[in-house]
Amino acid sequence: MTPTPRHIPIVILGAGPTGLVLANLLGTYGVPAMVLDRNPSTVDEPRAVSIDDESLRTLQTAGLVDEALTQIVQGYGVHYFSWSGKPFAKVEPTSREYGYTKRNAFRQAVLCAQLRDGLRRFPHIDVRFRHEVLSFSQTDDGVRLEVEADGAPTVVTCDWLIGCDGGRSATRERLGIKLTGNTFAEKWLIVDLLDRPDPFRHTRTYCDPARPAIRLPGPDGTVRYEFMLKGDETADFVLDDARLRSWIAHREPRDANLTIARKVVYTFHSRIAERWREGRVLLAGDAAHLTPPFAGQGMNSGVRDATNLAWKLAAVVRGGADASLLDTYASERKPHAWALIKMAMLIGKYMQPKSVMGAMAAQLALKAISLYPPARDYVLQLKFKPKPRFLQGFFVPDGALDAPIRSGQLMAQPQVELPGGRRVLLDDWLGAGFACVNWHDDAAPVSWPSIGAIPCRTVRLVRQDEDFPLGVRDGGIVARDCDGVLAGILRRAQARAMVLRPDRYVMAFIADDDGPSHPSTVTAVGALYQQYGITTDRLPGAADPADAVVEFGNDSPQTSGRRIERHESLTATGPGNARALITGEHA
C-alpha cells in the first residue's frame, strides 16, 4: 500500500550547520519547514572550529547568539612561526565591523545542538532524524521524496527541496551536477585533544617545509593539531598514537599526552558546483562548494548561503515574489564563495612552503610589509578577506564609487543608543525583516512595503551629537547613531535613507534628490520588483507620518533585540514590540 504523502512547503536535507541555520531563519520568518537527516542526531564529533563575525550576526538574527556566545572563545588571532620555530608575524584583528570579533573558536557539535534545540521555539518547524531520502522526483508543482523513516517507507512532498547534505551530497549527485575546481594533492592529519593545560588562545601556524603544522586552541580546553603529510605516508602510518604524539610533542610538549577525542586524515578541496538550482531543488553549504580549511571559511560560507536563501524562500512560499527570485541566490552567493575559496588557497600556499628558501622569501616579505603601517593594518585586521558584496542580484546599483558601503554590500553593524543611554547593535533595532532607515527630521520619510509576509520596519535615526528624545515616537522607533558610523555611510553614499534586506545587505540607497521630481531610485526599485514578480499593497516612496510605523507580519516571530525563548512567538503588531525593545519588557 502506498503511504499517504505528507506535504510541507520546504524540506531541508541535512542537519548540519547550514541546514539548521536555514531552518531557524525560516522559523523566524514564520515559514513551515521540515529537516530530514539520516543520522540519529546532530554530529557529536569536532569538525569546523572557526566561526566568524558574519555567522555570529546571522545567529543574532535567528535569536540564538546570546546562547551561542557562552560556548565560544571570541577574538583569537594567528601567530606564524618560521622553519626554525621562531615567531615572525601575527594576525590579531580587533575591529568589529559587523558587531562581533572576526575570528572565534567554537565546537561544531555544541553549536549544532544549540541550533537543533532552538528549533523547538517554532511549532511550524519539524526535525526528523533517522530519515534517509532514497530518491526524489520533480514536477512543475513540487518535489516528491521517497523516505526511509526508522526502517519504514514513507513519502513527503514539498514545494522546495534544499540540499544541505555535505560535500558528498547525494542531492547534488542525483541531479547530475558536477563540481569544478581542484583537489589538493597533500593530505592532512587532524587530531583533536581534550584538557589542554596551555591557556594561550591564539592559533599557531608552523610554516615549516619539513612538516607544515597548525595548532588551534578551542573552547573548554580543547585543542586541534593539523599536520601536512608527505606523499608516501599512509593513513595507517600517521594515525599511530605514538607517532602522532611525537609530532605534537615537537610543537608543544605539554599537549603530547592529552586525551585524543578524534583523529582523521583529510584531503582538502577547492571546488564549486556548476549549478546551485535545478528546478525546485537548491544546493547550499558543502553541497554547493568545498573550501580548503586554511582560512576557516568552509562552514561560514554555508551559513552565508542560509542567510541569503532563507528570506527569499519565505517571500516565494508566502506569495510575495515569483520563483525567479531564487535565481538571485546563486548569482549573489557564488562569486563570493569562490573568492573565499581562492583566498584559502593562497593562504594554504603560504602555509605550505616547498623549501627552506621558499619559506625564507615568503616570511621576509611579510616582515617587510609589517614595516608599512597601512599594509600592516591590511594584514592584521584581515582586510584582505573578500568583502561580502554582490556583483549582481536583488538590489539597485548606486553610483557612489568611493563610498565605504554600496548597494549590494553587507551593511556594517554599529551600535545605536536607546533611551537611558542603553546601546544595542543595529540589527536588534531593525528587527528581523526588511528595514528602511530615515533621519528623524526628514519631513517626508521614506517608507517601504513588505514583501509577502516579511515585514518592513520604518525607523528614525538621530545624529550623534543631536539633542532629541529617543524612544517610541509617532509609532516608530527613534534611536541615536551614537558613534556616527551610519551618518558617515549615508553621507558618503550621498543618501538621505537606506533600505536594508533581511540579510542586512543594502537593497537601495535613497539619494538626497529622490522624490516626485527625481524618482530615480523609486523607479528602479519598481522595475526590480516587477522583474521578480513582487506584489505589494503600494509602491515604495515618501510616506505620511502615520505610515512611519514599526510594521510586523501577523505571524512572523521577531527577536525584538533579545533572544526568543523556546516556544515563544512574538506576533504583536504596531509599537508594542518597539516598546519591548526599548524598555526590555516582555512583549
Side-chain angles (χ1 to χ4, degrees):
M1 180 177 178
T2 303
T4 302
R6 176 183 177 182
H7 185 82
I8 194 161
I10 297 172
V11 170
I12 300 167
L13 300 186
T18 301
L20 292 172
V21 167
L22 178 58
N24 274 277
L25 291 173
L26 291 172
T28 299
Y29 297 140
V31 177
M34 175 185 287
V35 181
L36 300 179
D37 196 292
R38 65 182 181 180
N39 296 306
S41 185
T42 52
V43 296
D44 58 0
E45 62 181 17
R47 293 185 180 177
V49 293
S50 181
I51 186 168
D52 69 9
D53 49 349
E54 295 174 60
S55 292
L56 290 178
R57 188 175 187 178
T58 293
L59 296 183
Q60 178 188 353
T61 299
L64 292 171
V65 72
D66 292 342
E67 182 176 353
L69 287 175
T70 64
Q71 300 294 323
I72 290 174
V73 177
Q74 299 181 62
Y76 75 91
V78 182
H79 290 204
Y80 290 90
F81 292 78
S82 71
W83 67 93
S84 61
K86 295 180 179 180
F88 69 89
K90 59 184 178 181
V91 176
E92 295 183 8
T94 57
S95 61
R96 293 179 176 236
E97 182 179 2
Y98 301 124
Y100 301 93
T101 50
K102 291 182 179 296
R103 295 170 57 92
N104 310 280
F106 84 115
R107 292 181 296 165
Q108 182 171 328
V110 172
L111 179 63
C112 283
Q114 292 171 331
L115 291 168
R116 176 199 65 208
D117 294 345
L119 292 173
R120 297 174 184 169
R121 300 170 294 168
F122 307 116
H124 50 286
I125 303 294
D126 191 3
V127 183
R128 299 295 181 98
F129 291 100
R130 295 189 175 90
H131 279 57
E132 182 173 5
V133 175
L134 303 178
S135 64
F136 62 81
S137 57
Q138 297 193 63
T139 66
D140 292 339
D141 298 324
V143 185
R144 177 186 173 92
L145 297 93
E146 304 289 339
V147 181
E148 185 177 273
D150 284 322
T154 189
V155 175
V156 176
T157 64
C158 61
D159 299 322
W160 297 96
L161 176 64
I162 318 300
C164 304
D165 47 346
R168 298 179 179 177
S169 169
T171 306
R172 186 186 65 233
E173 291 180 359
R174 288 180 178 125
L175 293 173
I177 297 176
K178 295 181 180 179
L179 291 172
T180 61
N182 300 299
T183 295
F184 278 70
E186 300 86 357
K187 290 184 171 63
W188 284 69
L189 167 68
I190 293 180
V191 186
D192 289 294
L193 305 165
L194 306 177
D195 304 320
R196 61 179 165 86
D198 182 4
F200 186 75
R201 63 188 282 114
H202 301 297
T203 295
R204 293 170 178 164
T205 297
Y206 301 95
C207 302
D208 183 356
R211 177 81 65 188
I214 310 171
R215 181 185 186 272
L216 305 95
D220 298 328
T222 58
V223 62
R224 168 173 290 186
Y225 278 88
E226 300 180 1
F227 298 97
M228 195 178 86
L229 307 185
K230 298 176 182 178
D232 59 346
E233 291 176 334
T234 65
D236 290 340
F237 177 80
V238 301
L239 290 172
D240 176 73
D241 276 9
R243 181 167 291 105
L244 63 85
R245 288 185 186 278
S246 70
W247 293 356
I248 293 171
H250 178 62
R251 297 305 178 188
E252 176 50 71
R254 289 178 293 176
D255 293 342
N257 294 315
L258 300 181
T259 301
I260 297 175
R262 176 178 178 247
K263 55 181 181 177
V264 64
V265 172
Y266 268 122
T267 299
F268 298 135
H269 307 275
S270 53
R271 310 182 76 184
I272 196 162
E274 291 181 335
R275 303 185 308 282
W276 291 19
R277 177 185 173 188
E278 184 74 36
R280 289 182 170 266
V281 184
L282 298 103
L283 303 177
D286 285 354
H289 43 76
L290 296 168
T291 307
F294 308 116
Q297 287 299 306
M299 184 208 74
N300 294 293
S301 285
V303 173
R304 292 185 192 96
D305 294 345
T307 309
N308 185 289
L309 189 54
W311 72 266
K312 296 175 182 178
L313 283 168
V316 171
V317 167
R318 304 301 288 271
D322 187 77
S324 61
L325 179 64
L326 297 176
D327 290 332
T328 66
Y329 161 59
S331 65
E332 291 178 349
R333 282 288 308 126
K334 195 171 182 179
H336 188 244
W338 184 245
L340 287 169
I341 289 172
K342 291 193 292 184
M343 182 189 75
M345 290 190 291
L346 288 174
I347 294 175
K349 289 180 180 179
Y350 188 85
M351 290 168 50
Q352 303 172 99
K354 302 298 183 182
S355 66
V356 171
M357 290 301 295
M360 185 182 299
Q363 292 160 22
L364 286 174
L366 186 55
K367 287 183 179 180
I369 288 174
S370 299
L371 298 176
Y372 181 53
R376 182 178 65 238
D377 185 60
Y378 181 79
V379 174
L380 292 181
Q381 300 303 323
L382 285 179
K383 292 183 179 180
F384 57 85
K385 180 181 175 183
K387 283 282 187 183
R389 175 182 294 159
F390 303 143
L391 304 177
Q392 58 180 325
F394 190 77
F395 65 96
V396 176
D398 58 65
L401 299 179
D402 62 342
I405 293 179
R406 301 181 58 190
S407 294
Q409 185 172 340
L410 184 63
M411 174 54 59
Q413 188 179 199
Q415 292 183 328
V416 294
E417 181 185 346
L418 299 177
R422 186 163 73 97
R423 292 187 171 200
V424 300
L425 288 171
L426 174 68
D427 292 0
D428 289 343
W429 177 53
L430 298 180
F434 288 85
C436 187
V437 180
N438 295 266
W439 291 113
H440 80 94
D441 54 0
D442 194 327
V446 178
S447 179
W448 226 257
S450 302
I451 294 180
I454 304 178
C456 182
R457 175 180 287 185
T458 304
V459 293
R460 307 285 191 90
L461 192 64
V462 175
R463 292 168 180 82
Q464 183 179 9
D465 300 322
E466 189 176 5
D467 184 16
F468 187 84
L470 308 178
V472 179
R473 299 179 59 83
D474 300 324
I477 301 179
V478 180
R480 176 174 284 109
D481 178 21
C482 46
D483 295 317
V485 174
L486 297 174
I489 290 170
L490 287 168
R491 182 178 63 254
R492 294 280 297 276
Q494 301 178 12
R496 57 185 273 238
M498 58 183 170
V499 182
L500 302 179
R501 306 183 339 176
D503 55 10
R504 297 307 169 228
Y505 281 75
V506 180
M507 190 177 86
F509 280 114
I510 312 301
D512 291 331
D513 60 356
D514 273 339
S517 59
H518 298 86
S520 56
T521 304
V522 173
T523 300
V525 171
L528 185 70
Y529 280 20
Q530 184 177 16
Q531 179 181 352
Y532 294 106
I534 294 171
T535 57
T536 62
D537 294 335
R538 56 180 172 79
L539 289 175
D544 295 328
D547 211 18
V549 299
V550 183
E551 300 172 313
F552 293 96
N554 289 334
D555 52 4
S556 297
Q558 302 294 321
T559 62
S560 292
R562 57 181 173 79
R563 182 169 58 87
I564 303 175
E565 298 300 329
R566 291 175 187 170
H567 304 293
E568 180 183 7
S569 177
L570 304 181
T571 59
T573 60
N577 272 9
R579 194 174 305 280
L581 169 61
I582 292 172
T583 64
E585 298 173 357
H586 183 80

